[in-house]
Amino acid sequence: MAEVRAKANKKVVLKDFITAGFPKESDMEVVTTDTVRLKVPEGSKAVLLKNLYLSCDPYMRSRMSKHDEPSYVPDFVPGSVITGFGVGKVVDSSHPDFKVGDFVWGMTGWEEYSLITETEMLFKIRYTDVPLSYYTGLLGMAGFTAYVGFHEICAPKKGEYVFVSAASGAVGQLVGQFAKLMGCYVVGSAGSDDKVNLLKNKFGFDEAFNYKKEPDLSAALKRLFPEGIDIYFENVGGPMLDAVLINMRTHGRIAVCGMISQYNLEKPEGVHNLFYLVAKRIRMEGFLVFDFFHKYHQFEEIIAQYIKDGKITYVEDKAEGLENAPAALVGLFAGHNVGKKLVVVSHE
């Protein structure tokens, strides 16, 4: 019987739950643990991956804290490997849908090799003629989130007025471009002048502003949307949401994707202008991309064609090496990233 090869496995673990505030690099640890067998267990339907790229995503902050009430994704387990979306190559498989050599994206571990036993959130990559790293963002969860949130939740029409917060991030940059492809007027907000320039000059937003330089957010929105906002793609929450509610048009739609301004607060900020939902008959709806996975292949086809036709511009912000993964994730909450933040574990 042939000997099964094994390798040491470097991984990122969470030391302990974070009670409040921004995550720190010291909350995580990069360790090289016991070896991983490069063979799936007999009789299982598991897939063994060599991880290539890992996605840094805002929702991961919530998983670093302990919740008395269960959230939509489980809390991380202190002392155990952090998990998130990533891209990998199949090293071994006993699952009929995944063969050795296939490239996949989905939920994996922040480690060099991951044994995936729950394969419901694993997708075979069908377009290998585009950069595989795009499946951490544009062709992965971020892109699919932008597409679903804008097209399914907002039901946009040509010529409508669209506002996107955190617009230079992985999701926001794509929402703006989808809106432009629909023939909408699009404005984005970001936290630096460089990001504002990126929105206007690279991503094709009609206008953009640095929210840190605006003493009155409502006045800024009124200046850029004199006729009001039809669609707001919500990524930040807090004072921005309050300002948007004042400036929405009748029968406007708000897709609530995330609220990154609130994730590190001990006590979330209140929203004071909710009555505008009534007065202006606004529909505000939260969504989870998981509910739309049955539409993923349809989305993948559309976006792959957009890429080939040069209709989509996409910016990645890569951190090289698993040892730099904690700093990459922490930097996300300080706004250090420009575009999609990801970690390169291996170039194959």
Side-chain angles (χ1 to χ4, degrees), residues 10 31 49 62 71 76 84 93 100 113 117 123 141 143 150 175 188 214-215 223 276 305 321 325 337 344 348:
K10 190 187 290 183
V31 298
L49 297 183
S62 175
S71 183
F76 290 138
S93 172
V100 174
Y113 292 89
T117 55
F123 296 88
M141 191 188 72
F150 184 63
V175 174
E214 297 289 347
R223 182 177 77 239
Y276 283 98
Q305 195 58 52
N337 61 301
V344 181
E348 277 193 66

Side-chain angles (χ1 to χ4, degrees), residues 86 96 117 119 135 153-155 173 182 199 209 218 220 286 318 344 348:
T117 55
T119 56
Y135 280 87
I153 306 298
C154 296
Q173 62 170 286
M182 278 284 302
L199 292 174
F209 66 95
S218 179
K318 294 178 180 177
V344 181
E348 277 193 66

Side-chain angles (χ1 to χ4, degrees), residues 117-138:
T117 55
E118 296 176 6
T119 56
E120 299 80 14
M121 293 182 70
L122 212 56
F123 296 88
K124 182 177 174 178
I125 290 174
R126 298 189 298 165
Y127 297 94
T128 54
D129 54 345
V130 300
L132 289 173
S133 59
Y134 280 17
Y135 280 87
T136 64
L138 175 55

Side-chain angles (χ1 to χ4, degrees), residues 206-224:
D206 294 291
E207 283 292 346
F209 66 95
N210 182 345
Y211 69 88
K212 292 179 181 177
K213 289 186 168 180
E214 297 289 347
D216 186 335
L217 291 173
S218 179
L221 291 172
K222 207 170 289 295
R223 182 177 77 239
L224 293 162

Side-chain angles (χ1 to χ4, degrees), residues 59-123:
Y59 80 92
M60 296 173 75
R61 168 61 184 87
S62 175
R63 300 186 70 188
M64 292 176 155
S65 295
K66 184 171 177 58
H67 293 88
D68 295 328
E69 294 294 324
S71 183
Y72 67 93
V73 282
D75 300 337
F76 290 138
V77 178
S80 295
V81 66
I82 286 172
T83 58
F85 286 95
V87 173
K89 187 174 185 178
V90 178
V91 175
D92 192 35
S93 172
S94 55
H95 195 289
D97 294 343
F98 304 102
K99 297 178 176 57
V100 174
D102 282 349
F103 292 103
V104 299
W105 79 273
M107 192 61 75
T108 188
W110 276 37
E111 55 192 346
E112 291 175 308
Y113 292 89
S114 292
L115 181 67
I116 311 295
T117 55
E118 296 176 6
T119 56
E120 299 80 14
M121 293 182 70
L122 212 56
F123 296 88

Side-chain angles (χ1 to χ4, degrees), residues 70-337:
S71 183
Y72 67 93
V73 282
D75 300 337
F76 290 138
V77 178
S80 295
V81 66
I82 286 172
T83 58
F85 286 95
V87 173
K89 187 174 185 178
V90 178
V91 175
D92 192 35
S93 172
S94 55
H95 195 289
D97 294 343
F98 304 102
K99 297 178 176 57
V100 174
D102 282 349
F103 292 103
V104 299
W105 79 273
M107 192 61 75
T108 188
W110 276 37
E111 55 192 346
E112 291 175 308
Y113 292 89
S114 292
L115 181 67
I116 311 295
T117 55
E118 296 176 6
T119 56
E120 299 80 14
M121 293 182 70
L122 212 56
F123 296 88
K124 182 177 174 178
I125 290 174
R126 298 189 298 165
Y127 297 94
T128 54
D129 54 345
V130 300
L132 289 173
S133 59
Y134 280 17
Y135 280 87
T136 64
L138 175 55
L139 283 160
M141 191 188 72
F144 194 39
T145 298
Y147 189 85
V148 163
F150 184 63
H151 289 286
E152 299 284 336
I153 306 298
C154 296
K157 302 181 193 72
K158 183 178 179 179
E160 289 195 309
Y161 301 105
V162 178
F163 175 52
V164 185
S165 55
S168 68
V171 174
Q173 62 170 286
L174 297 172
V175 174
Q177 292 181 75
F178 293 153
K180 288 304 297 177
L181 286 167
M182 278 284 302
C184 297
Y185 168 81
V186 187
V187 175
S189 65
S192 76
D193 291 343
D194 286 344
K195 290 179 180 180
V196 166
N197 289 333
L198 193 71
L199 292 174
K200 292 199 285 190
N201 300 323
K202 193 171 184 72
F203 297 135
F205 283 61
D206 294 291
E207 283 292 346
F209 66 95
N210 182 345
Y211 69 88
K212 292 179 181 177
K213 289 186 168 180
E214 297 289 347
D216 186 335
L217 291 173
S218 179
L221 291 172
K222 207 170 289 295
R223 182 177 77 239
L224 293 162
F225 292 98
E227 296 182 53
I229 301 166
D230 291 300
I231 289 172
Y232 173 43
F233 198 96
E234 165 68 301
N235 286 313
V236 300
M240 185 67 83
L241 175 57
D242 250 346
V244 167
L245 286 167
I246 296 171
N247 286 279
M248 289 295 290
R249 301 179 84 184
T250 303
H251 299 299
R253 287 89 70 207
I254 299 174
V256 185
C257 175
M259 294 192 172
I260 196 170
S261 74
Q262 305 300 296
Y263 298 160
N264 298 297
L265 302 179
E266 196 163 348
K267 186 178 179 184
E269 294 170 301
V271 180
H272 306 282
N273 293 323
L274 287 175
F275 188 73
Y276 283 98
L277 294 175
V278 179
K280 297 186 178 185
R281 284 83 85 201
I282 298 164
R283 179 166 58 81
M284 183 171 171
E285 183 177 347
F287 71 98
L288 294 178
V289 73
F290 314 132
D291 296 337
F292 297 87
F293 273 162
H294 61 284
K295 296 192 173 190
Y296 174 73
H297 286 310
Q298 173 191 331
F299 155 82
E300 186 186 24
E301 268 179 41
I302 292 167
I303 301 305
Q305 195 58 52
Y306 278 168
I307 295 169
K308 289 166 189 172
D309 293 344
K311 290 183 176 178
I312 287 279
T313 299
Y314 186 59
V315 172
E316 294 181 313
D317 190 339
K318 294 178 180 177
E320 290 281 342
L322 195 59
E323 62 279 3
N324 291 312
L329 183 58
V330 168
L332 196 67
F333 299 98
H336 293 164
N337 61 301

